[in-house]
Amino acid sequence: MPQRPYVIDQMISAKAIAARIEELAREIEAEFEGTDKLVVIGLLRGSFVFIADLVREMQLPVEVDFIEASSYGDGTVSSKEVRILKDLRGEIQGRDVLVVEDIVDTGFTLHHVIHMLSARKPARLKTIALLDKPLRREVNFKADWIGFEIPDEFVVGYGIDFAQRNRDLPFIGKVRFTD
Ligand code: IMP
Ligand code: MG
C-alpha cells in the first residue's frame, strides 16, 4: 500500500519523557515497596522502548514478560475486536503485576487485556500507559499511571509506529500529512 506523504512534528521531547519516567518510577516504587514478586508486562510492540526505560529507572526487583494483542493493522483507526496474538510465558497467579502500554486510545485493548489477566488471580494488577487520549475513549477505562495526556492526534516515535515505521524516533511526534 503506497504511503501518503507525511512529516513528523515533535510533541514530547526525549528529555521530557525521561524526566516523566523518573517521576513515575518513584510512584511505582512506593506502590510496590517491599515486593519480591513483581512482573512487569509489556504490550507488544509499542511499549518496548517505554518498558525498557521504565524498568531500568525503577529500583525494584522485577521480572519482565510480554503479551501481544491485535492492533490497528496498517491504518490509523482502532478496531473494537481485541485478539491475543501472543500470551505471557509466565504465570501471574499471586504475583504483583504492572501492565505497560504505549497509548490508551479507545480503551478497548487495555480493558480486554486487564479483564483477561485479572481472571488469572494476580495479587495486585496495575496499569501504566505512556500516553492517554481521553477524548477518544469508548470504554470506561483509566490506567493507574499516565505519562502524558495528549489531544486526538496520531503520534509516532519512542516505540510507537505508523504502519510499522518510526518506532526508532527518540521522541514522540505527531503525524502531519502533507498531501
Ligand atoms: P485502543 O484499544 O483504542 O485503546 O488502542 C490502543 C492501541 O492503539 C495502542 O496500543 C496503540 O498501539 C494504538 N494506537 C492508538 N493511538 C495511536 C497513535 O496515535 N499512534 C500509533 N498507535 C496508536
Ligand atoms: Mg499497541
Side-chain angles (χ1 to χ4, degrees), residues 77-121:
V77 184
S78 191
S79 101
K80 296 184 185 191
E81 201 189 275
V82 181
R83 285 175 305 130
I84 300 302
L85 303 178
K86 181 212 167 295
D87 206 339
L88 299 173
R89 289 293 295 271
E91 306 288 329
I92 58 166
Q93 184 170 5
R95 307 285 302 266
D96 288 331
V97 173
L98 177 66
V99 177
V100 180
E101 172 64 310
D102 54 357
I103 308 181
V104 188
D105 186 39
T106 61
F108 284 112
T109 305
L110 263 185
H111 184 262
H112 178 90
V113 167
I114 293 307
H115 184 77
M116 184 187 90
L117 295 181
S118 63
R120 300 179 190 181
K121 306 268 181 283

Side-chain angles (χ1 to χ4, degrees), residues 43-47 69-72 101-103 109 161 167:
L43 261 81
L44 291 171
R45 284 168 268 176
S47 72
S70 58
S71 68
Y72 278 27
E101 172 64 310
D102 54 357
I103 308 181
T109 305
D161 73 302
R167 293 190 196 274

Side-chain angles (χ1 to χ4, degrees), residues 131-147:
L131 304 176
D132 187 12
K133 296 186 196 172
L135 289 172
R136 298 256 314 155
R137 197 74 82 259
E138 290 183 39
V139 291
N140 186 17
F141 180 85
K142 191 141 179 45
D144 297 290
W145 293 280
I146 294 291

